[in-house]
């Protein structure tokens, strides 16, 4: 028997395994394509975070924007702390807001005379946070329900204490329980290219009624509409779509048989 050959084979085996099982496993990992020896570097993680932030800001600017509800003016449909998702494409391709739509708009020139001045950097940060639904919206941004479009005659209240649009009584089931349609009487014709908007919690809402005697009459120009609030995205227990009301289905267009 060739004992020398056996010793030689043992020597080769022991030499190849002198570094232990851990070294062998590391060697295998290094040889497997696509397996990184370490996790994401801080630089790559930072770039990924910045990229995600930029993507969300672009999505918010052009498609869907989260909007934090800051007040009780739209109860019961929307509660303080809700994040609604505003569909910014709803009126981009020729469509216009309809009666009953819940819209977010810039109230500069209609609800607010001038945008408040402030620190530019702080304003930029706050604006970015608001665009992601992480902070309250700008003081010039509002959410209300459309009750009159261009050419409509909107009256409140009729003999039965109801809102009337183009001569037709509107059954506003979305109004906060116990609220009257309006404690402020009005009879207005909505100028073309504008909207007349009210909050659902009428006794807690500052809306078009409060600006009737001011320049612009509290009417919201169409080009100031940010989009339509279509969904409640947060908190999780309130995930739902905002259902379109049928309250205005019987209302004819401006100049119709009841106008």
């Amino acid at each position: 028997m060739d004992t020398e050959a056996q010793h030689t084979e043992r020597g080769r085996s022991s030499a190849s395994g002198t570094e232990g099982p851990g070294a062998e496993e590391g060697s295998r990992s290094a040889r497997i394509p696509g397996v990184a020896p370490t996790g994401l570097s801080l630089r790559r993680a930072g770039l990924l975070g910045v990229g995600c932030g930029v993507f969300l800001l672009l999505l918010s600017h052009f498609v869907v924007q989260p909007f934090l509800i800051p007040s009780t003016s739209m109860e019961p449909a929307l509660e303080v702390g809700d994040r609604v998702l505003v569909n910014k494409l709803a009126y981009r391709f020729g469509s216009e807001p309809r009666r009953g739509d819940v819209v977010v708009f810039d109230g500069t020139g209609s609800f607010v005379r001038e945008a408040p001045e402030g620190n530019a950097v702080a304003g930029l940060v706050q604006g970015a946070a608001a665009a992601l639904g992480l902070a309250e919206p700008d003081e010039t941004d509002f959410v209300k329900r459309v009750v009159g479009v261009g050419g409509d005659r909107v009256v409140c209240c009729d003999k039965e204490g109801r809102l009337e649009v183009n001569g037709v009584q509107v059954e506003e089931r979305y109004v906060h329980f116990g609220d009257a349609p309006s404690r402020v009487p009005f009879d207005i014709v909505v100028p073309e290219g504008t909207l007349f908007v009210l909050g659902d919690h009428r006794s807690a809402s500052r809306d078009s009624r409060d600006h009737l005697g001011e320049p612009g009459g509290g009417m919201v120009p169409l080009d100031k509409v940010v989009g339509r609030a279509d969904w409640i995205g947060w908190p999780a227990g309130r995930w739902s779509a905002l259902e379109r009301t049928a309250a205005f289905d019987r209302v004819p267009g401006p100049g119709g048989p009841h106008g």
Side-chain angles (χ1 to χ4, degrees):
M1 182 174 182
D2 191 349
T3 57
E4 184 178 354
Q6 289 181 349
H7 288 312
T8 303
E9 290 300 321
R10 289 197 190 101
R12 289 175 181 172
S13 298
S14 61
S16 64
T18 53
E19 296 180 354
E24 182 178 355
E25 188 66 29
S27 176
R28 288 178 182 173
S29 298
R31 291 196 300 267
I32 298 175
V35 176
T38 59
L40 283 175
S41 67
L42 290 177
R43 181 180 179 185
R44 290 180 64 188
L47 290 174
L48 181 62
V50 170
C52 289
V54 170
F55 171 77
L56 290 175
L57 285 173
L58 289 174
L59 185 71
S60 172
H61 185 75
F62 292 106
V63 184
V64 176
Q65 177 182 339
F67 184 89
L68 175 62
I69 301 301
S71 73
T72 62
S73 69
M74 283 299 293
E75 288 180 343
L78 301 175
E79 299 179 357
V80 175
D82 283 350
R83 267 80 167 178
V84 295
L85 300 181
V86 181
N87 181 359
K88 299 183 116 177
L89 299 179
Y91 310 126
R92 285 281 178 88
F93 305 104
S95 298
E96 293 185 353
R98 299 184 297 179
R99 306 179 196 97
D101 285 358
V102 176
V103 297
V104 172
F105 59 93
D106 177 3
T108 304
S110 56
F111 283 32
V112 180
R113 297 268 55 86
E114 294 181 1
E117 295 182 3
N119 181 278
V121 175
L124 184 64
V125 173
Q126 197 278 338
L132 297 175
L134 302 176
E136 289 192 5
D138 291 339
E139 295 180 13
T140 58
D141 288 344
F142 298 86
V143 55
K144 303 293 177 189
R145 190 181 297 273
V146 177
V147 298
V149 298
D152 283 346
R153 183 183 180 189
V154 185
V155 178
C156 197
C157 297
D158 65 11
K159 294 180 181 179
E160 297 181 25
R162 306 291 178 84
L163 183 78
E164 201 175 80
V165 180
N166 295 338
V168 174
Q169 189 181 83
V170 179
E171 189 72 28
E172 297 185 284
R173 299 185 184 277
Y174 47 76
V175 169
H176 193 277
F177 180 75
D179 274 2
S182 180
R183 298 190 183 280
V184 178
F186 54 84
D187 183 346
I188 57 97
V189 175
V190 184
E192 292 294 340
T194 67
L195 305 172
F196 187 80
V197 298
L198 299 175
D200 289 355
H201 195 172
R202 299 285 158 82
S203 63
S205 175
R206 288 185 57 82
D207 43 45
S208 290
R209 297 169 298 170
D210 297 281
H211 304 281
L212 288 173
E214 300 175 7
M219 307 298 169
V220 179
L222 291 177
D223 60 6
K224 291 289 188 177
V225 176
V226 175
R228 184 178 64 211
D230 280 350
W231 309 276
I232 299 175
W234 187 262
R238 285 180 52 75
W239 283 351
S240 61
L242 286 177
E243 296 183 6
R244 184 176 181 274
T245 177
F248 298 89
D249 286 357
R250 296 189 307 109
V251 175
H258 301 284

